Amino acid sequence: MTKLLETQDLTAHYGDFQALFGIDLSVEEGETIAIIGSNGAGKSTFLRAVTGMRPATGQNITYDGQQIAGMTADRIHHLGLAMVPEGRRLFSSLSVEENLKIGAAGKRTGPWNLDEVFKLFPALLERRRHGGTELSGGQQQMVAIGRALMSNPRLLLCDEISLGLAPKIIREIYAAVPLIRERGTSLVVIEQDIAQALRVANRVYCFQEGRVSLTGQPSELSRDAIAKAYFGTEDS
Amino acid sequence: MEWINVIVQGILLGGLYALFAAGLSLMFGVMRFINIAHGDFIVVAAYLLLVMVMTLGLPPVVGIGVVVILMSAVGYLGQRILLNRVLDEDILPPVLVTFGLSIIIQNSLLEAFSADSQRVPSGNFATASLTFNDELAIGVLPLAMFLAAVGVIGVLQFIFFRTALGRLLRATSDDPEIIPLMGANNSHVFAIATALASAVVAVAGTMLAMKTNFDPTIGPSRLLFAFEAVIIGGMGNIWGTLAGGIILGVAQTIGAQIDAGYQILAGHLAFLAVLIVRPMGLFAKAKG
Amino acid sequence: MKSLSQTALHRQSKVQRLALIGVAIIGFVALASAPLWAGRADLRLLMEALSFLALAQMWNLLAGYTGLISVGQQAYVGLGGYFFFALAMFTAVPVLLAIPLAALAAGLVAIPTAWIAFRLQGAYFAIGTWVIAEVFRLIAAQFPALGGGSGISLPVALVRSIASSRSGIELVMYYMAFFIALASILSVWVLLRSRWGLALTAIRDSEPAAASLGVNIRRVKFMVYVCTAVGTALTGAFIFLQKLRITPEAAFSVTEWSAFVIFIVVIGGLGTIEGPIIGVILFFLLRDLAADLGTWYLIGLGALAIAVMLIDRRGIWGAFKARGFPNLFVTQRTLN
């Protein structure tokens, strides 16, 4: 079975500074992958390279067997990869409903539409006409996720959806994950909340200073191993 | 009571200014880009209609349609091929490029058509008028133009707030960086915005051609009128731009009534007054 | 430890710098001694070039360092010109003194003008300054004493009061232009090397960062706007002394005093002192070659501006600098 997403030896530079040193990562259809790591480890850079938001020509990124490195972000989106960007990035001139609708600009068919998203996140239904940025942080995150779902992606990439949110809200949002999976979307989540990541993922990758320092199933990974992979050497 | 006539003329003139402003404000809204050649494109539209009607013998209405289609296409291509390559955070490259375009257009028109004043004849329309009692006469043509201007602005409002394209344009003005994540191509969206603005410019220019005398050098002053109407009306509000145009038109006609030489200065002073008192404009929509 | 290639680069850069300084000294001496070797027509050309150089340095200071893109500096060229004519013709102020006084008067006008203009930002500020210039033009045309809409010529007696002979007058005027251009370069250079300059460079690099470090951005921008207005008006006063005649259209021409100046600065290299120098040279070379082509010359100029923006928006000097060319005017502080 072809992997849904696979990167081999992915590197990334910001000018002279190297952010990623050869990342090997794969996602099978139906899986939920969590990427954990401290700030600056390269997690967001990785997602941006995969979605075409940063240049990746010459790299090896395959999606469903097709080479997507070097493609424009909008083309990659049409293939069924959607991203929930860091910081939500809702459109302030658009209402909640319009923010959701614009996610469907890609016109892929599938289980997700406006009604289904409102069923998934009922809090949004009564606020559908409000300005996108007038909502609470948690509700904005729901809109951002819903917006990405509207394109009926096969693979959903989430960049730090728990950032700045209270634990109760985080749990509420993650409660939606099983339903998203059920409907045929695989997930990659970047998470600062390690416990949440371990709870929701089939497999975990830990990034440390641009490299994969640890990978495996949550049940296989001990706390010590994770701490070491997350922070590097014991005394750093 | 001739003041009522003056004000009515000002309102009708304001419709034209509102159209000048709508094109400018559209491009700035979506792309944060001020086109210094904006007024010159209006003049190009006027000359195109002149060619259509005088050289090719087309009826004015058909001529207008052709000019609108032509300029929309040119706007789309020009944005895609040239202007997209100089757009980013820095406002200076677009300023210099559009300054260059302005000079190229003015001098090319001078070469092609000479500096003579021109006007496109509109047949019977030109002199027909509706009279209300003894004091007030409204020309049919100016009235038709005003209604057309209101119509165009209404269409723009509809496009922006009730269509998927308009949604995309508004979103692009908020956060162009993640538009590709929505599956849309920025190059294309910007070019559509310019095509739309060019269509509005085409209507404005063709109306100008029939309403007043024009020559290759009046572009820059049209740009300033457009700009003033946008600022007076308030940024981010399409109907506000209509109000701004009308206020500018009325200020100008009142100034002209006091002394013919005061017309443009009166408009500038109205603009400065609004700028001093309410720099965001009279009907600005606060952005989130 | 420096590698071999780094040392070679360092040496090459030193050689380049010496060559640059050499060229600059030759140029300076040539300009300073121009009345000795240049004919009347050439002197007039040089005076014009020096005026544009001063205008370019002022615009460069405004746009390259505070980020205030103005398409309305012609307001101060015109104000300088008109205040000069008014002072020279209607007061007892001697002609030569009227020039700096006119500049100061324009500076006073710049203060409330800045307050109004600063209510706009970015591209709107740019066009707003143009509208303000138009207001000045229309107001200037209202004064019959200054010729109204058709303008006025400087009385011959006033011109004769500058010096006793014709060549004396030209000598004085040439050195005025030379001095104004030199002053514009030196004042920008000194400013940039001072504490103010540090604030300006900080603003150019990152406004929020500069603000958080305690730089009063609004006050700095205000000061720079008023100072460049004075410099621009000084040059404007001289320009119209040289032309001997002023009209509202010429005094407040957006093409002459904004479009051409902006071309010069941006094509030469924005945010550098050397850039405007190169820009002026290029501009006058082109004008010399192509001026009788009339409209085609202007079309070519517009096309050149577009081409340069597409190829390298840093301009000629900016492109050189990026390839390791040294600065002639050192304004940067390096961390060692």
Side-chain angles (χ1 to χ4, degrees):
Chain A
M1 180 171 87
T2 14
K3 302 192 203 283
L4 187 56
L5 178 74
E6 184 169 18
T7 71
Q8 278 180 3
D9 202 32
L10 184 67
T11 57
H13 294 82
Y14 290 98
D16 286 336
F17 170 73
Q18 183 156 7
L20 295 177
F21 294 83
I23 304 284
D24 293 329
L25 186 146
S26 66
V27 183
E28 309 269 359
E29 186 110 42
E31 275 195 310
T32 299
I33 302 292
I35 300 179
I36 60 176
S38 55
N39 282 335
K43 316 185 296 292
S44 284
T45 307
F46 176 77
L47 273 201
R48 301 188 123 238
V50 166
T51 50
M53 293 294 286
R54 55 169 284 118
T57 30
Q59 301 293 330
N60 193 344
I61 308 174
T62 43
Y63 170 78
D64 204 16
Q66 188 183 7
Q67 185 62 247
I68 61 171
M71 267 191 203
T72 55
D74 52 292
R75 265 203 76 194
I76 293 178
H77 179 86
H78 284 287
L79 293 175
L81 264 123
M83 175 151 92
V84 183
E86 191 180 355
R88 293 138 221 164
R89 307 286 285 271
L90 297 186
F91 296 112
S92 50
S93 298
L94 271 50
S95 66
V96 165
E97 183 164 333
E98 287 177 317
N99 263 289
L100 292 176
K101 280 183 173 168
I102 204 173
K107 292 191 187 63
R108 284 169 55 89
T109 49
W112 293 106
N113 55 38
L114 205 58
D115 289 327
E116 292 300 320
V117 170
F118 282 136
K119 275 199 218 146
L120 186 67
F121 296 125
L124 299 183
L125 185 58
E126 54 193 50
R127 294 178 180 77
R128 65 198 295 174
R129 305 235 179 275
H130 287 207
T133 40
E134 287 169 29
L135 276 51
S136 71
Q139 288 158 354
Q140 287 192 33
Q141 193 60 68
M142 294 177 192
V143 178
I145 296 173
R147 181 177 65 181
L149 285 175
M150 290 286 288
S151 65
N152 284 297
R154 278 176 74 187
L155 181 61
L156 184 65
L157 305 156
C158 301
D159 197 341
E160 306 240 21
I161 49 183
S162 66
L163 205 59
L165 300 180
K168 173 167 174 271
I169 311 285
I170 298 175
R171 277 196 296 275
E172 228 179 278
I173 291 178
Y174 269 101
V177 167
L179 192 57
I180 297 175
R181 290 211 313 224
E182 247 174 65
R183 294 204 166 159
T185 302
S186 314
L187 283 129
V188 175
V189 290
I190 289 182
E191 254 311 328
Q192 290 268 21
D193 186 338
I194 300 179
Q196 189 62 258
L198 293 174
R199 232 176 280 141
V200 79
N202 300 117
R203 275 188 304 124
V204 175
Y205 286 84
C206 184
F207 278 32
Q208 205 246 339
E209 289 190 4
R211 294 179 169 82
V212 174
S213 53
L214 183 67
T215 176
Q217 295 177 358
S219 51
E220 303 170 341
L221 305 173
S222 72
R223 283 190 67 180
D224 284 341
I226 293 176
K228 187 167 174 207
Y230 199 100
F231 294 109
T233 56
E234 258 94 55
D235 43 329
S236 65
Chain B
M1 276 305 136
E2 67 185 80
W3 284 103
I4 295 193
N5 211 0
V6 167
I7 291 179
V8 169
Q9 300 308 321
I11 292 176
L12 296 183
L13 180 62
L16 185 61
Y17 288 165
L19 274 192
F20 290 172
L24 190 71
S25 151
L26 207 167
M27 284 184 74
F28 188 77
V30 177
M31 292 174 283
R32 296 283 173 275
F33 162 41
I34 279 233
N35 181 1
I36 290 190
H38 178 76
D40 302 290
F41 283 122
I42 294 175
V43 175
V44 166
Y47 274 102
L48 278 177
L49 184 66
L50 190 72
V51 167
M52 297 288 146
V53 171
M54 305 298 274
T55 317
L56 299 180
L58 297 171
V61 181
V62 176
I64 293 176
V66 174
V67 174
V68 170
I69 294 174
L70 248 174
M71 289 197 66
S72 305
V74 168
Y76 183 88
L77 289 171
Q79 181 70 36
R80 212 80 214 231
I81 298 175
L82 176 65
L83 295 173
N84 272 343
R85 291 171 55 182
V86 288
L87 274 184
D88 63 30
E89 311 274 297
D90 195 358
I91 73 166
L92 196 50
V95 164
L96 197 62
V97 166
T98 51
F99 234 145
L101 276 177
S102 171
I103 291 190
I104 290 177
I105 291 175
Q106 283 182 56
N107 284 281
S108 303
L109 287 175
L110 266 174
E111 274 294 317
F113 296 99
S114 90
D116 294 338
S117 227
Q118 313 261 15
R119 190 164 174 174
V120 172
S122 38
N124 289 331
F125 264 143
T127 44
S129 67
L130 307 166
T131 31
F132 301 84
N133 54 55
D134 296 322
E135 316 281 354
L136 190 56
I138 302 183
V140 169
L141 188 59
L143 183 61
M145 286 184 177
F146 178 77
L147 294 174
V150 175
V152 168
I153 289 182
V155 168
L156 278 180
Q157 181 80 4
F158 179 83
I159 291 178
F160 264 79
F161 287 94
R162 295 202 188 281
T163 66
L165 171 65
R167 198 163 51 220
L168 192 55
L169 289 172
R170 280 183 295 137
T172 305
S173 94
D174 284 338
D175 198 341
E177 204 200 345
I178 55 161
I179 289 294
L181 287 181
M182 306 293 118
N185 178 343
N186 270 1
S187 282
H188 176 65
V189 175
F190 286 172
I192 293 277
T194 305
L196 208 52
S198 302
V200 176
V201 161
V203 175
T206 50
M207 276 177 37
L208 176 79
M210 292 189 285
K211 188 175 168 45
T212 56
N213 293 322
F214 60 93
D215 65 74
T217 62
I218 69 165
S221 43
R222 306 308 110 175
L223 167 69
L224 295 188
F225 295 158
F227 172 74
E228 289 177 325
V230 170
I231 298 294
I232 292 175
M235 309 178 217
N237 182 345
I238 299 180
W239 287 117
T241 300
L242 179 62
I246 289 176
I247 293 173
L248 180 66
V250 171
Q252 283 196 357
T253 47
I254 290 179
Q257 186 67 6
I258 297 175
D259 181 313
Y262 285 167
Q263 176 176 349
I264 298 184
L265 186 59
H268 289 337
L269 293 178
F271 158 76
L272 287 178
V274 173
L275 186 58
I276 291 173
V277 172
R278 258 183 93 103
M280 287 309 289
L282 297 175
F283 306 101
K285 280 213 179 109
K287 265 232 166 150
Chain C
M1 194 175 82
K2 281 195 184 141
S3 71
L4 196 61
S5 57
Q6 267 183 311
T7 321
L9 236 130
H10 190 72
R11 199 179 297 136
Q12 181 192 35
S13 167
K14 270 202 142 166
V15 168
Q16 280 173 338
R17 183 136 205 275
L18 283 174
L20 259 182
I21 294 181
V23 167
I25 292 181
I26 294 175
F28 178 83
V29 168
L31 283 174
S33 62
L36 296 175
W37 55 263
R40 184 162 290 154
D42 286 335
L43 274 182
R44 309 202 98 240
L45 183 67
L46 281 174
M47 283 193 269
E48 225 193 315
L50 289 169
S51 306
F52 268 98
L53 180 58
L55 290 177
Q57 291 292 349
M58 290 297 109
W59 197 88
N60 180 39
L61 183 63
L62 197 59
Y65 286 92
T66 57
L68 288 171
I69 310 290
S70 163
V71 180
Q73 287 307 83
Q74 63 273 20
Y76 299 110
V77 174
L79 274 185
Y82 267 98
F83 279 143
F84 165 70
F85 268 64
L87 283 170
M89 285 168 56
F90 303 122
T91 70
V93 172
V95 170
L96 293 186
L97 190 56
I99 292 185
L101 282 182
L104 287 174
L108 285 177
V109 174
I111 294 174
T113 306
W115 184 85
I116 296 178
F118 279 20
R119 290 170 101 64
L120 294 167
Q121 314 275 7
Y124 282 166
F125 169 82
I127 309 282
T129 57
W130 188 353
V131 174
I132 290 173
E134 283 296 293
V135 172
F136 288 163
R137 178 178 69 83
L138 289 168
I139 292 179
Q142 301 297 328
F143 288 89
L146 286 167
S150 15
I152 200 166
S153 298
L154 199 62
V156 177
L158 280 175
V159 181
R160 293 236 180 86
S161 72
I162 294 176
S164 43
S165 68
R166 179 143 185 216
S167 46
I169 295 173
E170 280 180 3
L171 198 72
V172 169
M173 295 215 327
Y174 177 79
Y175 281 111
M176 284 192 70
F178 181 70
F179 171 74
I180 289 176
L182 195 64
S184 73
I185 294 179
L186 288 178
S187 60
V188 171
W189 190 26
V190 166
L191 178 67
L192 290 176
R193 288 178 74 105
S194 73
R195 233 181 50 205
W196 282 102
L198 209 50
L200 282 173
T201 314
I203 292 177
R204 179 183 68 174
D205 290 342
S206 165
E207 266 195 46
S212 69
L213 288 171
V215 176
N216 188 336
I217 303 228
R218 195 190 151 88
R219 178 136 58 100
V220 171
K221 285 188 173 180
F222 204 91
M223 292 242 29
V224 173
Y225 181 88
V226 173
C227 289
T228 54
V230 171
T232 303
L234 185 71
T235 313
F238 169 78
I239 287 174
F240 287 96
L241 167 64
Q242 190 198 351
K243 285 185 194 273
L244 298 175
R245 180 176 169 73
I246 196 167
T247 67
E249 210 178 301
F252 296 97
S253 161
V254 68
T255 307
E256 286 278 328
W257 316 125
S258 266
F260 290 168
V261 172
I262 297 178
F263 287 175
I264 286 173
V265 175
V266 183
I267 292 177
L270 182 69
T272 68
I273 296 181
E274 302 85 337
I277 298 176
I278 294 182
V280 169
I281 296 173
L282 184 65
F283 180 78
F284 276 87
L285 264 176
L286 281 171
R287 209 179 75 162
D288 203 49
L289 288 172
D292 31 304
L293 297 177
T295 45
W296 291 108
Y297 156 66
L298 291 171
I299 291 175
L301 209 58
L304 178 66
I306 295 175
V308 171
M309 281 300 99
L310 289 176
I311 296 173
D312 193 336
R313 60 177 59 177
R314 294 167 302 192
I316 295 176
W317 188 252
F320 277 0
K321 264 178 76 173
R323 279 157 182 74
F325 232 70
N327 279 333
L328 179 59
F329 294 90
V330 177
T331 56
Q332 288 166 304
R333 291 158 173 74
T334 43
L335 293 171
N336 278 319

